[in-house]
């Protein structure tokens, strides 16, 4: 029996770790199983990884596990489906013992939109200009919440202290809004 486990959710450029567990489920009087091949539709030939994990010769009831990383590619299908197939031969017998298992990983597409507006009328030196910022999580519906890392404006600098708590964690489709005042100078 082979079991393939992977992340339920991932995105392009993430490293997804897949765990493989192979178990000899034969009866106690069965000969050991000798690995013939193991192929994955996403990761290709895994015989080296399986052999290194001790999967090449399994006594009845024995199991082995190993992990293989895959970097999710831009353009991978969503969901990212894959199937692993393993073939064994009982020691001293030509029988082909095989099993497969499939795994599906949802790929989300994170996205954020920021709009910045101000009163379009001209101002004089020393006047206050109020900038309004709206940050919206425009990711795909299966995207996780966006967690604020930083907010910087090329004119006003770091705005993290100005942003309300609602900007710290934004669900898909939600947004936060805040204002920042700026006093004009003769250099503007």
């Amino acid at each position: 029996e082979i079991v393939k486990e992977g992340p339920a959710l991932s995105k392009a450029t993430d490293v997804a770790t897949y765990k493989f567990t192979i178990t000899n489920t034969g009866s106690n009087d069965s000969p050991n199983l000798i690995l013939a091949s193991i192929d994955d539709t996403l990761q290709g030939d895994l015989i080296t990884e399986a052999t290194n994990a001790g999967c090449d010769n399994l006594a009845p009831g024995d199991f082995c596990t190993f992990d293989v990383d895959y970097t999710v590619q831009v353009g991978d299908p969503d969901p990212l489906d894959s199937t692993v197939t393993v073939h064994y031969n009982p020691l001293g017998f030509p029988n082909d013992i095989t099993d497969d298992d499939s795994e599906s990983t949802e790929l989300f597409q994170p996205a954020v939109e920021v709009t910045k507006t101000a009163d379009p009328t001209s101002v004089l030196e020393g006047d206050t200009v109020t900038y309004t910022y709206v940050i919206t999580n425009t990711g795909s519906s299966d995207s996780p919440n966006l967690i604020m890392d930083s907010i910087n404006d090329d004119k006003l600098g770091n705005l993290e202290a100005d942003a309300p708590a609602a900007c710290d964690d934004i669900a898909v489709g939600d947004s936060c809004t805040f204002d920042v005042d700026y006093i004009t100078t003769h250099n503007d």
Side-chain angles (χ1 to χ4, degrees), residues 50-134:
T51 300
N52 290 342
C55 301
D56 53 330
N57 187 338
L58 293 177
D62 283 353
F63 69 94
C64 63
T65 62
F66 60 95
D67 294 343
V68 179
D69 290 337
Y70 174 76
T71 301
V72 179
Q73 304 296 305
V74 173
D76 274 348
D78 181 17
L80 183 59
D81 295 328
S82 60
T83 300
V84 62
T85 303
V86 66
H87 291 271
Y88 277 90
N89 301 112
L91 183 62
F93 295 90
N95 306 57
D96 185 31
I97 309 299
T98 187
D99 192 33
D100 61 59
D101 193 31
S102 297
E103 181 65 25
S104 184
T105 300
E106 288 292 324
L107 300 182
F108 66 94
Q109 295 77 40
V112 64
E113 178 180 88
V114 178
T115 58
K116 175 183 175 182
T117 57
D119 185 350
T121 60
S122 63
V123 293
L124 303 173
E125 181 181 339
D127 285 351
T128 299
V129 176
T130 300
Y131 291 101
T132 299
Y133 297 85
V134 179

Side-chain angles (χ1 to χ4, degrees), residues 169-187:
D169 186 340
I170 306 174
V172 173
D174 287 350
S175 60
C176 69
T177 303
F178 63 98
D179 295 332
V180 177
D181 289 336
Y182 174 73
I183 298 174
T184 60
T185 70
H186 70 279
N187 293 326

